[in-house]
């Protein structure tokens, strides 16, 4: 059927001949039409099939399924078919937690106990195009007072959970597995970051890296695969989205291994939310006490905010599901179903649909059963940009995409799908937008920038300490990179100091106070604030076996905040994108390296 290919058949291994037949059957003859006689570019022709083999094996059902799914989705898109046809949205009900109340504290305790049966999965294959940072996002500092990067914070948080959980159960020595999904864009830098920092204290065998492959680009409505404009022996590829995590976990064999080890929960999370681990213990507590097969974490959502809305969808045939409706689809769905204002705030000042922060807790047993059926394939979508309203040609090639939060779409109605709403200040502060775009965010909506992400850490820690009884000064308002933010005292602590609210409360005793211009770094497990009055910068480091009482008045010139313009290339990119840096004028730093009781009485 394809003479140029037939003439080259002798170059191909038997499995490659099968792949070639499959491509021809699926209407992909154009991939070979330019192939010259054998003897010319033979290595490149073999390389082409290496790529086809990879694309075929990394997609559930292989390239045949990919092309057939693409044809169907492209036809639906051309016909203007609404993926939510027949569904009516309504506001779902879920668990709403109030930070610090009795219910919250007992859920945290339940969650910490359960953590020994958990595994964590970080999806970190995204390039972060909206942020425009040239490195990998997990290497960015979560905050610049300590300079610890997101990945270090995540690992230290998991290790603290592991330790605290095992302390609650006799004879527990578990090591909580940690999976990182990378892509070709992030894989090498992620491994380098881990290796050059001794895995931030985690045992290397606890960490598993799963690399997602890109998927083939589609050139037209017939799902003809696009050739790379720079190399006609290569199929052009683009990322498939975070939904790949399910098929990768399925094919890795890890799920069965975890099951045999008695593990129960798989927690998925995204690359740059520095507050996330504040929410993990209580959310896991909700999953465990409610018996949720699926639990999505959510926060109150401002209308039009670029986070999906958790929505109850009821079909005309009676089916219902509670699912994330992505931010670009919620508004048209609401308008099409009798809500002329679309995605709008209600009287609370927020959208009635809770915002999905893409932190999912899945119960392992039912998850495995579901994946046995689907092999991890997730409902996909396509988003072609057409040249005109006839929708016959694309401006540039497109591809199928999928999202990890669409996992519940294939679940039977009997599945227990719930969600847990927490305060935004406590649980959600991602770093996604570059300074210019962040400055354009409508007033009152969150910036989701490096500036707001760091300031949110200080705000959360200040509010937690306040709730624990300390007097924390009010913030001042300042503007960095065109974004107006609250600047609270720069308070940070290592996860092992304040894993849960109960931990923090036990360590804040007496009447402690911290002024607005202060910075406080608590680095150690048994450090107690007992009548501390801080006006300046204090850094306390202590080994585990040391018990340190911090008391008295600490006053020094401290660290001042300097404005930095994001265009100022004399500053490092990590600093420029947040719009400020600290000038470390004066500080008190104390290190306790010996076991026993100590007192820092300033
Ligand atoms: N990611 C991958 O690992 N692989 C990929 O191919 C793509 C991404 P974005 P997005 O919580 O704020 C999501 O780009 O997709 C990783 C939810 O869909 O930051 O626009 C990537 O590394 C949305 O409902 O976000 O929006 C990152 O860790 C809402 O919840 C993660 O996937 C929103 O996040 C997310 O990628 C949010």
């Amino acid at each position: 059927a394809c003479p140029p290919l037939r003439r080259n058949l002798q170059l191909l291994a038997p499995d490659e001949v099968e792949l070639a037949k499959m491509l021809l059957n699926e209407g992909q003859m154009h991939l070979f039409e330019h192939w010259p006689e054998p003897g010319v570019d033979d290595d490149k022709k073999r390389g082409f099939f290496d790529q086809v083999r990879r694309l075929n094996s990394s997609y559930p059902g292989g390239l045949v399924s990919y092309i057939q799914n693409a044809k169907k989705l492209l036809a639906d898109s051309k016909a203007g078919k609404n993926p939510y046809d027949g569904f009516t949205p309504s506001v779902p009900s879920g668990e709403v937690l109030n930070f610090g109340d009795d219910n919250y504290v007992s859920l945290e305790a339940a969650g910490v106990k359960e953590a020994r049966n958990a595994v964590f999965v970080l999806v970190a294959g995204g390039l972060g195009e909206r942020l425009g940072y040239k490195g990998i996002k997990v290497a960015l500092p979560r905050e610049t007072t300590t300079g610890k990067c997101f990945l270090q914070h995540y690992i230290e948080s998991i290790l603290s959970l592991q330790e605290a959980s095992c302390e609650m159960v006799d004879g527990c020595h578990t090591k909580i597995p940690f999976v990182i999904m990378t892509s070709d864009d992030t894989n090498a830098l992620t491994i380098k970051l881990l290796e050059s920092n001794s895995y931030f204290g985690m045992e290397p065998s606890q960490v598993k890296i799963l690399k997602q492959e890109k998927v083939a680009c589609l050139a037209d409505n017939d799902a003809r695969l696009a050739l790379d404009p720079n190399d006609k022996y290569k199929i052009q590829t683009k990322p498939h989205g975070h939904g790949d995590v399910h098929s990768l976990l399925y094919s890795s064999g890890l799920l069965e291994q975890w099951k045999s080890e008695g593990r129960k929960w798989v927690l998925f999370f995204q690359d740059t939310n520095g507050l996330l681990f504040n929410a993990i213990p209580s959310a896991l507590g909700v999953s465990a006490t409610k018996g949720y097969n699926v639990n999505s974490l959510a926060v109150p959502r401002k209308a039009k905010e670029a986070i999906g809305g958790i929505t109850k969808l009821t079909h005309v045939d009676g089916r219902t599901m509670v699912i994330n409706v992505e931010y670009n689809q919620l508004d048209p769905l609401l308008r099409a179903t009798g809500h002329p204002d679309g995605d709008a705030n209600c009287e609370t000042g927020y959208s009635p649909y809770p915002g999905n922060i893409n932190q999912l807790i899945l119960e392992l047993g039912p998850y495995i059963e579901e994946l046995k059926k689907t092999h991890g394939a997730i409902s996909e979508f396509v988003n072609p940009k057409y040249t005109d309203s006839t929708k016959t040609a694309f401006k540039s090639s497109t591809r199928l995409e999928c999202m990890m939060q669409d996992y519940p779409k294939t679940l039977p109605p009997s599945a227990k799908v719930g969600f847990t709403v927490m305060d935004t200040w406590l649980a959600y502060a991602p770093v996604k937008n570059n300074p210019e775009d962040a400055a354009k965010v409508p007033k009152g909506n969150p910036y989701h920038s490096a500036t707001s992400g760091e300031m949110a850490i200080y705000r959360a820690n200040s509010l937690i300490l306040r709730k624990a009884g300390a007097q924390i000064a009010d913030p001042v308002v300042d503007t960095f990179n065109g974004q107006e933010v609250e600047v609270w005292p720069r308070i940070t602590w290592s996860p092992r100091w304040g894993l849960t609210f109960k931990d923090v409360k036990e360590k804040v005793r007496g009447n402690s106070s911290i002024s607005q211009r202060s910075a406080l770094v608590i680095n150690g497990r048994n450090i107690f604030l007992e009548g501390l009055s801080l006006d300046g910068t204090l850094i306390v480091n202590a080994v585990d076996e040391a018990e340190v009482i911090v008391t008295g008045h600490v006053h020094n010139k401290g660290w001042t905040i300097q404005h930095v313009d994001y265009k100022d290339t004399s500053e490092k990119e990590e600093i420029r994108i947040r719009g400020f840096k600290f000038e470390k004028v004066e500080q008190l730093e104390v290190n306790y390296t010996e076991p026993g009781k100590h007192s820092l009485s300033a």
Side-chain angles (χ1 to χ4, degrees), residues 26 44 55-56 85 97 105 124 127 191 194 226 233 314 323 363 377 422 473 483 524 535 548 554:
E26 294 302 325
K44 291 186 175 168
L55 290 171
N56 192 50
D85 243 5
L97 303 190
V105 170
L127 249 187
I191 293 173
L194 285 165
Y233 292 100
T314 307
I323 194 83
E363 190 182 350
M422 305 228 189
Q483 302 155 56
D535 183 34
V548 182
V554 175

Side-chain angles (χ1 to χ4, degrees), residues 122-127 130 137 181 212 239-242 269-272 306-308 324 326-327 356-358 403 405 428 430 432 448:
L122 166 64
V123 290
L127 249 187
R130 278 190 272 161
K137 288 171 79 182
M181 181 173 81
Q212 64 177 144
H240 188 221
H242 34 74
F269 65 110
Q270 302 194 151
D271 49 18
T272 58
I307 63 177
N324 172 71
E326 201 57 343
Y327 41 90
N356 163 48
I357 63 170
N358 245 12
M403 301 188 294
Q405 67 270 33
Y428 187 57
K432 299 204 182 208
H448 294 174

Side-chain angles (χ1 to χ4, degrees), residues 223-238:
R224 283 158 31 113
L225 304 184
L227 283 170
D228 190 323
N230 303 316
D231 183 347
K232 57 188 176 162
Y233 292 100
K234 247 195 196 150
I235 294 170
Q236 192 184 16
T237 58
K238 285 187 182 164

